[in-house]
Amino acid sequence: TSVVIGAATARREFPTLDTPVLSFFDASPVKNVDARKQRMTLRHLLTMTAGLEWREDLPYDDPKNSCGLMEASFDWVRFAVDQPMSDEPGARFNYNSGATQILAHVFRKATGHDVEEYAARHLFTPLGIERWFWKRTPTGLADTEGGLYLRPRDLAKIAYLFLKDGQWEGRAVVEPGWVKDSVAPSTTVADGVRYGLKWWLVRHSRDKWAFAGSGFGGQRPIVVPEHDLVMVFTGWNIPGGEPSLTAPVAIERVLAALAAPGVSNR
């Protein structure tokens, strides 16, 4: 979702990230509007600092999980934007799938295009991605909070695009400035973990940082810039208590393998 917004930004077809979210809604029907919600911007949606009251730290089968409640509703965007505020926007990281889903509505309002159709033309086609499936919500919007299915090789292409500052075969698909902002630490998640514009930043090797996606069940692309390295994992460990491969462990093991005697890093 963030990469497609970056492609639209490169084409001057997406508004500044400081634009208020409510400017894309008829404010009168939106519930729980207060001064804090009026200050919520697109940047806050992209950095998981929207300030909306949201419980996604619970198991996804918990009936109090906000994402589960959203996906059980008909209008996911309306469910998310109607939530009351719990914090000042920008004050605290709180993982919120609803904030990402709101961006599907914003994208259509801002550009006049469906986010999947735009991605097909301005992201997938330049990268030679020919097969994908993007799940839809009940209202017909693309499921931007977690519904895009790609082959591992094609997911690696998107990660490689960001490793190369948005360039693909001599063409600027995304501007270098967007890539830089995307993988810059906008907020702190935990010790050794930061968050950019929908990208996770993971510390490894003392003071080195990788950037990564984090898909449901442990599916993730990871980029280690200083090693010119892109890796993609497609794990699917959903039940609680099951073992999972974390990004730091994945990086540690791959780098150790590359450093093994007789292994070429080329």
Side-chain angles (χ1 to χ4, degrees):
T1 300
S2 179
V3 176
V4 180
I5 291 173
T9 299
R11 298 173 60 82
R12 307 296 186 266
E13 293 180 351
F14 197 81
T16 170
L17 298 189
D18 296 322
T19 304
V21 173
L22 291 185
S23 66
F24 299 96
F25 292 85
D26 181 352
S28 56
V30 175
K31 298 179 181 178
N32 299 305
V33 174
D34 60 11
R36 292 176 298 178
K37 187 173 283 191
Q38 290 173 334
R39 289 192 288 269
M40 183 173 60
T41 68
L42 303 183
R43 187 179 303 277
H44 296 135
L45 298 182
L46 282 160
T47 58
M48 295 293 188
T49 60
L52 292 165
E53 188 174 294
W54 197 265
R55 292 297 310 275
E56 205 166 335
D57 55 327
L58 302 169
Y60 282 98
D61 58 359
D62 190 307
K64 295 181 180 179
N65 183 293
S66 298
C67 184
L69 292 170
M70 177 185 71
E71 293 187 352
S73 71
F74 176 73
D75 191 333
W76 296 9
V77 171
R78 179 61 59 183
F79 178 91
V81 77
D82 278 349
Q83 296 305 301
M85 300 296 288
S86 61
D87 298 278
E88 179 66 27
R92 181 175 69 93
F93 176 90
N94 183 30
Y95 190 85
N96 182 338
S97 292
T100 310
Q101 188 58 43
I102 291 172
L103 288 169
H105 167 83
V106 169
F107 194 92
R108 178 174 283 181
K109 285 285 187 179
T111 67
H113 299 285
D114 176 84
V115 67
E116 180 185 1
E117 294 172 355
Y118 198 94
R121 178 176 296 181
H122 300 297
L123 178 62
F124 298 158
T125 295
L127 270 56
I129 297 174
E130 298 177 344
R131 295 178 59 197
W132 71 88
F133 173 72
W134 207 325
K135 186 162 63 74
R136 295 276 164 169
T137 73
T139 59
L141 283 175
D143 176 6
T144 48
E145 55 88 31
L148 176 60
Y149 295 76
L150 292 164
R151 295 184 301 177
R153 180 178 295 274
D154 290 333
L155 181 56
K157 288 180 178 180
I158 294 175
Y160 187 79
L161 175 72
F162 269 50
L163 175 64
K164 297 303 178 182
D165 294 325
Q167 299 284 322
W168 187 267
E169 296 182 347
R171 174 180 176 181
V173 178
V174 178
E175 291 183 334
W178 180 266
V179 176
K180 181 179 179 180
D181 290 346
S182 293
V183 299
S186 294
T187 185
T188 298
V189 179
D191 184 33
V193 183
R194 304 290 186 268
Y195 201 74
L197 302 181
K198 299 288 180 223
W199 289 91
W200 297 85
L201 314 178
V202 183
R203 185 168 58 204
H204 70 95
S205 305
R206 297 179 184 175
D207 60 346
K208 301 296 185 181
W209 290 81
F211 60 91
S214 181
F216 195 47
Q219 304 179 89
R220 61 181 86 241
I222 303 174
V223 178
V224 187
E226 64 269 22
H227 290 278
D228 201 32
L229 176 64
V230 170
M231 28 183 165
V232 170
F233 297 90
T234 56
W236 189 253
N237 291 314
I238 302 303
E242 294 295 320
S244 61
L245 182 65
T246 65
V249 170
I251 295 168
E252 176 185 358
R253 292 180 179 179
V254 172
L255 292 184
L258 291 175
V263 176
S264 172
N265 291 335
R266 297 184 62 185

